[in-house]
Amino acid sequence: MALQHFDATYSAQLGALWPSIRVALLSERKYGALLNHFSHNLDVEELQAQGCKDFISNGEGKPEEDSSSVSTVTHGGGSRQPSPLRLSPNIRCLVFPRGDITRFRPARPDKFGLLSYYLLDAASILPCLALDVQESHTVLDLCAAPGGKALVLLQTQSVRFLCANDLSVSRTSRLKRVLQSYVPKALLTDDKLRITSFDGTIWGEIERNAFDRVLVDVPCTTDRHSLMEDDNNIFSRSRVGERRSLPQLQAELLLAGILATCPGGDVLYSTCTLSANQNQAVVQQAVQLAEEQHGIQLQVISLCPLAQMFSNTFHFAPNLHLGEMVIPHLAANFGPIYLCKLRRLT
Ligand code: SAM
């Protein structure tokens, strides 16, 4: 069902790109190892001896091209600004070189029981880098479980207070276990971390104008998962209604995230689908609703410099009019990950 659906929609949306993305999606995915700064057992040398490199510090040497000519997309005529790149030196993610599909072995605990690295799709680090968390920031992760991106954000060691929320109670428990396996207890105290299980769509009724940075990593058709796993598949017949209403839910979550952001703060929308209906269309709808219903002006922040910086590691969809998208490729089988950054002007 998923493949039929993708063949129909993505061949129209992605044209000539679709056949090679399709092959990559049906092949084994590639992982990255997010190094755990808090572990005394970093395993870096062993991984480097195997040929792994930190894709983040490797990308930083690349010259930035001028991205200021990118066209305007915001609702209400705001301009699209190139983002100055300030990447946290504490986020490090090792990947095997292009074309090398070696698997990572499971991480080992150090003497305090903290694991040395967390395996994840390396492209899912990009939304966290793009969020640009700075010293003393308060951060809301609206759909946080199982916690991969929350862990990346905590690696920056800049977050003053993190609120990690997820509707699912069982997934929130998993998030707690992940954080306990990677972060010292002293950094998980109530004054630094709050874990909640609310429906994120009503966050605007709970807390408005409150966070410097908000991550809205929404539920989506999880394209790669839907092609490979039967368990709880969003394309199963029993979940047709839920699947069709995803863009509505995603727009409500993004709008709630916008309301939770302080004026002047940034909100980052991300998914792991290629679908333009769940990506660009959702951002456009939420930006419009924020302006029409709440009088909030937003500016789209261009992530072109980020895409240029990491173009050796990831394949990015060309000419996306809004946001950036990592597309799966056989030689670099990461993604799909879509990301779009918005700044609250009012
Ligand atoms: N950010 C997570 C990470 O990096 O590990 C992955 C998040 S996953 C893509 C989307 C999450 O949204 C799921 O864990 C799901 O339980 C949660 N979710 C679904 N509907 C929600 C809602 N209305 N409010 C908050 N979370 C929701």
Side-chain angles (χ1 to χ4, degrees), residues 60-318:
E60 276 179 305
K62 277 194 80 182
E64 260 179 57
E65 289 163 35
D66 176 29
S67 56
S68 52
S69 58
V70 178
S71 61
T72 296
V73 200
T74 46
H75 181 74
S79 63
R80 187 171 160 178
Q81 289 293 311
S83 168
L85 287 177
R86 297 176 293 188
L87 303 183
S88 166
N90 297 330
I91 305 180
R92 291 196 293 160
C93 181
L94 300 187
V95 291
F96 285 99
R98 280 178 69 81
D100 183 338
I101 57 165
T102 309
R103 293 178 186 158
F104 290 97
R105 59 162 180 70
R108 285 185 300 225
D110 68 5
K111 59 183 174 184
F112 302 105
L114 297 178
L115 293 169
S116 51
Y117 53 79
Y118 181 85
L119 294 181
L120 76 183
D121 185 328
S124 64
I125 304 255
L126 297 180
C128 304
L129 288 174
L131 195 59
D132 185 27
V133 174
Q134 297 296 314
E135 208 55 47
S136 302
H137 271 167
T138 53
V139 181
L140 168 64
D141 187 351
L142 195 61
C143 306
K149 296 187 186 69
L151 185 60
V152 180
L153 295 171
L154 289 176
Q155 292 297 318
T156 63
Q157 296 183 58
S158 297
V159 179
R160 173 160 57 88
F161 181 75
L162 173 69
C163 180
N165 176 71
D166 199 282
L167 174 68
S168 157
V169 175
S170 61
R171 285 174 66 89
T172 308
S173 304
R174 203 167 137 209
L175 162 91
K176 280 182 195 155
R177 285 198 299 278
V178 167
L179 295 185
Q180 282 161 358
S181 307
Y182 286 88
V183 184
K185 278 198 182 74
L187 301 179
L188 300 177
T189 48
D190 293 349
D191 57 328
K192 296 190 175 67
L193 174 73
R194 188 170 77 206
I195 297 179
T196 54
S197 289
F198 294 124
D199 176 355
T201 61
I202 59 155
W203 204 274
E205 293 161 33
I206 302 172
E207 225 172 6
R208 285 198 186 187
N209 308 336
F211 294 91
D212 299 299
R213 298 287 185 264
V214 176
L215 179 63
V216 185
D217 185 36
V218 293
C220 67
T221 43
T222 53
D223 296 358
R224 197 183 274 277
H225 178 88
S226 297
L227 284 177
M228 297 311 224
E229 308 280 338
D230 280 335
D231 190 35
N232 201 27
N233 196 305
I234 187 91
F235 284 87
S236 65
R237 291 191 198 286
S238 60
R239 297 185 71 189
V240 171
E242 189 187 341
R243 176 163 58 82
R244 294 210 174 121
S245 59
L246 274 174
Q248 180 62 30
L249 171 64
Q250 291 158 341
E252 286 176 26
L253 285 166
L254 179 52
L255 181 61
I258 290 168
L259 293 174
T261 310
C262 302
D266 292 340
V267 53
L268 198 298
Y269 177 76
S270 59
T271 74
C272 54
T273 175
L274 297 161
S275 161
N277 283 340
Q278 297 174 63
N279 294 336
Q280 299 95 309
V282 167
V283 174
Q284 271 166 335
Q285 199 199 343
V287 168
Q288 187 173 343
L289 290 174
E291 188 177 332
E292 288 173 1
Q293 296 181 356
H294 303 278
I296 294 174
Q297 297 281 340
L298 292 148
Q299 181 177 43
V300 178
I301 304 294
S302 168
L303 297 174
C304 229
L306 192 83
Q308 280 165 357
M309 181 175 275
F310 297 122
S311 60
N312 283 346
T313 305
F314 305 109
H315 284 250
F316 287 90

